[in-house]
Amino acid sequence: MRHTLSWRPLDAFCWTAALYTVQFQGEFERTILNDSWLDSPKCRRTPRTHCDLTPDLGSDSDYGVRVRAECGQQVTPWTRLNALFNRRETLLRPLEMAVEAMGDGVRVSFERLPQTASVGITLWRQGQEQEASTVRLEQTPILFTALQEGAVYCVRACTYLDGRPGSAPTDTHCVTIRDHEEPWKKPTAAMVTVVSHGGTPVCRILVCRPLQGRRLPRPLPERAPPLLAAAT
């Protein structure tokens, strides 16, 4: 889980590059170190307008955070967050999920999975959500295999962190498991025709079977019907 502080750039014109410093204060600094503040090592006199405070806010304490700007020899007053920050109150957002059919399975991956988080992935066959199965894991991608060919399977996921309530679920993604059997190996339905030849019924049954890799013989060209000469 990453905690990033961002702020608007300095409004006043600055002849030199504006530099920013971020400080933080935890419960230990407030109560034991006489209300002192600590510089964020990665965000001391930085030209960026954002700061990754993840390593600084490493406990479940209430933290104060403030930032100020420098323009040459001039320094602005500190600007503080309106309220104390506690990572336990972090709202997890749904992750960016990718779902694709691979062979007889479904591959699920995520663009960025927090290091300390786990993800719950729910899979079900379309129309059978009541029979869905869910797995929890800390690493992705994951491949669900041995699924029924020709069927549609759907996936959604939630993020979990340190026993806290999960994030909102992702959008549902559905994919079709392709039938990978060779088209020429598939049997076709039987065809039955009844014709009459000289007044005697004749039953003709044609059954198309798998070709087993053999080539079909070329059909003979049909003979053209005789031309009728006009009577003179």
Side-chain angles (χ1 to χ4, degrees):
M1 183 170 56
R2 178 172 298 177
H3 306 298
T4 302
L5 175 72
S6 59
W7 57 89
R8 292 191 301 269
L10 188 65
D11 292 334
F13 178 77
C14 185
W15 289 97
T16 62
L19 300 176
Y20 303 92
T21 297
V22 176
Q23 292 185 338
F24 65 95
Q25 180 190 69
E27 184 177 354
F28 182 78
E29 288 77 25
R30 282 194 302 273
T31 58
I32 305 300
L33 299 183
N34 299 321
D35 204 32
S36 62
W37 291 77
L38 301 178
D39 288 343
S40 175
K42 294 183 179 180
C43 304
R44 184 187 298 115
R45 307 188 76 242
T46 175
R48 300 187 300 270
T49 56
H50 58 86
C51 176
D52 183 3
L53 291 171
T54 306
D56 303 319
L57 312 182
S59 69
D60 290 339
S61 300
D62 294 330
Y63 286 92
V65 180
R66 65 184 187 181
V67 60
R68 73 177 181 184
E70 300 178 31
C71 179
Q73 299 298 321
Q74 296 182 330
V75 180
T76 67
W78 290 102
T79 299
R80 298 176 58 170
L81 290 178
N82 294 331
L84 297 177
F85 170 80
N86 193 308
R87 67 179 187 177
R88 291 176 300 182
E89 301 173 358
T90 300
L91 298 179
L92 299 176
R93 295 182 299 177
L95 297 173
E96 293 293 331
M97 181 177 65
V99 179
E100 58 180 328
M102 295 186 64
D104 65 345
V106 173
R107 182 179 186 269
V108 182
S109 59
F110 299 89
E111 181 178 356
R112 182 182 299 172
L113 185 63
Q115 294 182 355
T116 58
S118 63
V119 60
I121 302 175
T122 303
L123 172 76
W124 70 93
R125 184 174 174 179
Q126 193 175 58
Q128 301 179 3
E129 188 171 357
Q130 69 278 4
E131 300 178 7
S133 58
T134 302
V135 295
R136 288 276 293 268
L137 66 160
E138 297 179 355
Q139 295 181 350
T140 60
I142 183 174
L143 180 63
F144 297 89
T145 58
L147 302 181
Q148 182 175 342
E149 294 183 352
V152 178
Y153 287 86
C154 299
V155 179
R156 64 169 172 257
C158 293
T159 311
Y160 300 91
L161 184 65
D162 297 335
R164 301 169 192 169
S167 69
T170 62
D171 293 335
T172 299
H173 297 253
C174 298
V175 294
T176 301
I177 307 301
R178 294 182 179 180
D179 189 346
H180 294 279
E181 187 177 3
E182 297 290 344
W184 55 269
K185 293 183 180 179
K186 297 179 181 179
T188 58
M191 178 180 66
V192 179
T193 60
V194 178
V195 296
S196 177
H197 180 69
T200 303
V202 177
C203 179
R204 178 183 302 168
I205 302 178
L206 175 62
V207 180
C208 298
R209 303 180 182 277
L211 301 180
Q212 303 297 334
R214 295 176 297 176
R215 294 184 178 180
L216 289 175
R218 290 188 176 182
L220 296 176
E222 296 182 0
R223 299 179 59 183
L227 298 177
L228 296 180
T232 56

